[in-house]
Amino acid sequence: MTKSEIEQWLREDDEERLALLWSRADGIRKERVGEEVHLRGLIEMSNHCARACGYCGLRAENRKIGRYRMSTEEVLACAKRAVLLGYGTVVIQAGEDDAITLEGMSDIIRSIKSSTSLAITLSLGERSEEEFRAWREAGADRYLLRFETSNRALFHHIHPPRRNQGPADRIEILHRLGAIGYEVGSGVLIGVPSQTYSDLAEDVCTFRELDLDMIGVGPYIPHPDTPLFAEVPDWGRAGPDQAHNTELMAYKMVALTRIACPDTNIPSTSALATLNKAQGRELGLMRGANVCMPNLTPVQYRAMYEIYPGKACINETAEQCSVCLAGRIHSIGRVVGKGRGDSANWHRRRDEAEG
Ligand code: SAH
């Protein structure tokens, strides 16, 4: 699919034609990654953040949220719960929190690895090369870092540099993570103010070029306590090129991503479930996605990890999330994945490297 074909699909509104897109994406999903839906237990370890991202409620300047950081014991308890619930992976996510140190995080990773057979995915923001290497050596398997948008000017506008640092280059970091041996995941926001359909089409082309193992795409959900909120257009009057942050646009991006990157693992994201609590997860899974990320964060912290408002599943316990998701997966005729659910793409790359 060329960039202009991708852009045409993003502008397509005819339901019958879109049904063709959904069925093509679902067919490729079935053929390439199968019927299993892999569950990744999400541990939101800390909401402290040193950055000032224009879109995210965890930004340092937001004084309206209470801050928390889980202890090592609390993280390990979440990992144990993941094992009991039958998950193959935990995703440890946080703001860019300098109190999460090279040594402290390495200890957590080693403890989980020595007591469970879980795969570990980290999503801790832009960290040093030394930290990336140490955490991989300690046993972390995967790293998630969304490049958020391939439009460089827009990225720097919504993702200003940290104090005393130059502008971030997340694409460069993704290459380094791959070279260190991680399974590499990335993704983008959909419908950021002044993001165009052409930008989104370029995002899908960038996914393909980066040969990613995991790709998460989700609607941008405006947070009132962030600067970007003031830029959100009156959608009815937005220009013809402004990409909309709708549920439909998110499904189109999931489907196009599956078609462009057939072997990659694609989650049906929580942001999508937030826009459509009744059916968002299922529709994502039926239009290209093959992964879900049930929340394992202790209930007392969940509401504080408010990257965007109205987040789905903030009052449920880990057990309730697990039962709910399994039910949703079965209701659409799919099965809950067993084992770690590694990326087929990563295995292929490693086999090629080993000759
Ligand atoms: N600090 C880590 C983890 C951030 S949260 C990092 O920067 O990588 C994970 C993802 O949530 C972000 O990459 C972003 O794409 C998404 N996110 C943040 N704010 C959002 C919002 N207002 N609406 C939708 N998604 C958002």
Side-chain angles (χ1 to χ4, degrees):
M1 226 191 292
T2 64
K3 182 180 167 188
S4 83
E5 283 170 314
I6 295 171
E7 188 173 338
Q8 263 171 30
W9 276 117
L10 292 169
R11 292 175 183 276
E12 180 63 64
D13 274 326
D14 181 87
E15 281 185 28
E16 277 174 32
R17 285 188 51 80
L18 284 173
L20 298 174
L21 182 68
W22 312 144
S23 81
R24 186 167 158 202
D26 196 45
I28 293 174
R29 185 273 308 156
K30 186 172 177 172
E31 186 190 315
R32 304 294 282 260
V33 294
E35 300 287 33
E36 282 187 313
V37 176
H38 302 291
L39 300 183
R40 322 296 199 195
L42 178 63
I43 306 173
E44 294 154 333
M45 183 178 165
S46 162
N47 70 350
H48 288 269
C49 191
R51 296 204 85 102
C53 300
Y55 45 89
C56 182
L58 305 191
R59 64 201 311 278
E61 285 85 351
N62 184 9
R63 310 250 177 262
K64 291 196 185 164
I65 53 169
R67 303 280 173 173
Y68 74 91
R69 182 179 302 116
M70 288 167 62
S71 67
T72 298
E73 291 68 35
E74 285 174 311
V75 176
L76 297 180
C78 287
K80 293 224 165 70
R81 182 155 297 145
V83 174
L84 292 175
L85 294 172
Y87 303 161
T89 298
V90 284
V91 178
I92 304 179
Q93 191 178 82
E96 254 172 61
D97 180 356
D98 295 332
I100 296 177
T101 61
L102 182 151
E103 271 312 322
M105 198 64 222
S106 299
D107 285 343
I108 291 176
I109 295 165
R110 278 191 292 263
S111 300
I112 296 176
K113 284 305 219 180
S114 63
S115 56
T116 74
S117 53
L118 291 167
I120 299 179
T121 304
L122 301 178
S123 174
L124 304 173
E126 294 160 34
R127 307 291 306 222
S128 70
E129 175 87 14
E130 218 190 341
E131 288 167 321
F132 289 146
R133 283 187 188 281
W135 296 338
R136 175 80 184 121
E137 273 163 32
D141 301 274
R142 312 179 185 138
Y143 205 97
L144 292 178
L145 186 74
R146 290 184 173 184
F147 60 80
E148 315 294 0
T149 170
S150 55
N151 178 329
R152 293 283 171 125
L154 180 60
F155 177 68
H156 294 308
H157 172 60
I158 65 176
H159 186 85
R162 281 179 68 161
R163 198 170 307 160
N164 305 325
Q165 285 185 8
D169 187 345
R170 287 193 162 191
I171 304 279
E172 156 70 22
I173 298 176
L174 293 169
H175 285 299
R176 283 198 272 134
L177 289 166
I180 295 170
Y182 284 100
E183 264 189 53
V184 182
S186 194
V188 295
L189 292 163
I190 302 166
V192 172
S194 91
Q195 185 183 39
T196 65
Y197 291 108
S198 166
D199 290 336
L200 287 181
E202 186 61 34
D203 293 344
V204 176
C205 295
T206 305
F207 295 155
R208 192 161 47 194
E209 277 159 32
L210 289 172
D211 194 20
L212 295 165
D213 304 311
M214 307 169 280
I215 304 173
V217 295
Y220 160 62
I221 301 177
H223 191 306
D225 303 318
T226 60
L228 205 56
F229 192 80
E231 295 177 33
V232 173
D234 172 350
W235 296 103
R237 290 203 208 133
D241 294 328
Q242 167 69 51
H244 286 208
N245 64 344
T246 55
E247 193 189 340
L248 183 62
M249 203 58 63
Y251 297 134
K252 290 184 197 174
M253 282 294 285
V254 167
L256 292 163
T257 299
R258 170 60 65 203
I259 295 166
C261 308
D263 294 325
T264 198
N265 283 330
I266 302 179
S268 186
T269 59
S270 305
L272 191 49
T274 295
L275 291 194
N276 179 349
K277 293 197 169 70
Q279 271 218 302
R281 291 227 195 252
E282 288 88 330
L283 287 169
L285 291 172
M286 290 161 73
R287 295 169 175 180
N290 70 320
V291 167
C292 277
M293 296 171 64
N295 204 318
L296 282 174
T297 309
V299 174
Q300 71 267 31
Y301 299 134
R302 282 198 197 182
M304 285 192 263
Y305 199 81
E306 195 189 64
I307 50 185
Y308 51 80
K311 252 174 87 185
C313 319
I314 55 167
N315 295 313
E316 284 81 356
T317 63
E319 285 68 22
Q320 287 167 330
C321 284
S322 167
V323 172
C324 164
L325 267 184
R328 288 174 188 267
I329 291 165
H330 294 143
S331 79
I332 57 170
R334 303 268 280 278
V335 294
V336 174
K338 293 209 165 49
R340 294 165 36 118
D342 288 329
S343 154
N345 217 29
W346 182 82
H347 279 294
R348 178 185 51 72
R349 254 204 337 269
R350 197 192 48 181
D351 292 348
E352 280 169 11
E354 286 173 359

